Amino acid sequence: MGNMTLIQAILCGVVYWLAVGNLPFVGLWSLQRPLVCGTLVGCILGHPVEGAVIGATINLVYEKRDWMTILKNGYDLD
């Protein structure tokens, strides 16, 4: 792996800013998902597959947490 360039660092910062900021733009809430954000950062850094794999792995933790809450509280899935 090479060093991160200044442009890549700025672009990663912009992705982070868009993901955590509650901006009124339509559709930016999807950047808060680890899979989407990981893939975008992976594309910026030149490794989109690695970014997607890392994002998907982090996303599994969130999905498991959501399902554990549903099972614990006994939500009716109908």
Side-chain angles (χ1 to χ4, degrees):
M1 287 213 153
N3 294 331
M4 181 184 290
T5 65
L6 181 61
I7 299 297
Q8 289 173 327
I10 291 170
L11 288 174
C12 287
V14 169
V15 169
Y16 174 77
W17 178 71
L18 289 173
V20 298
N22 291 325
L23 301 173
F25 305 125
V26 178
L28 286 181
W29 60 269
S30 62
L31 281 177
Q32 295 175 350
R33 303 300 296 178
L35 178 60
V36 175
C37 201
T39 304
L40 284 175
V41 171
C43 288
I44 291 170
L45 297 177
H47 301 284
V49 176
E50 289 179 27
V53 168
I54 292 170
T57 304
I58 295 170
N59 202 42
L60 281 174
V61 174
Y62 288 109
E63 295 298 325
K64 182 178 180 183
R65 182 190 64 190
D66 293 342
W67 278 105
M68 294 302 285
T69 303
I70 290 172
L71 294 176
K72 183 179 94 175
N73 293 335
Y75 288 2
D76 187 14
L77 298 176
D78 292 331

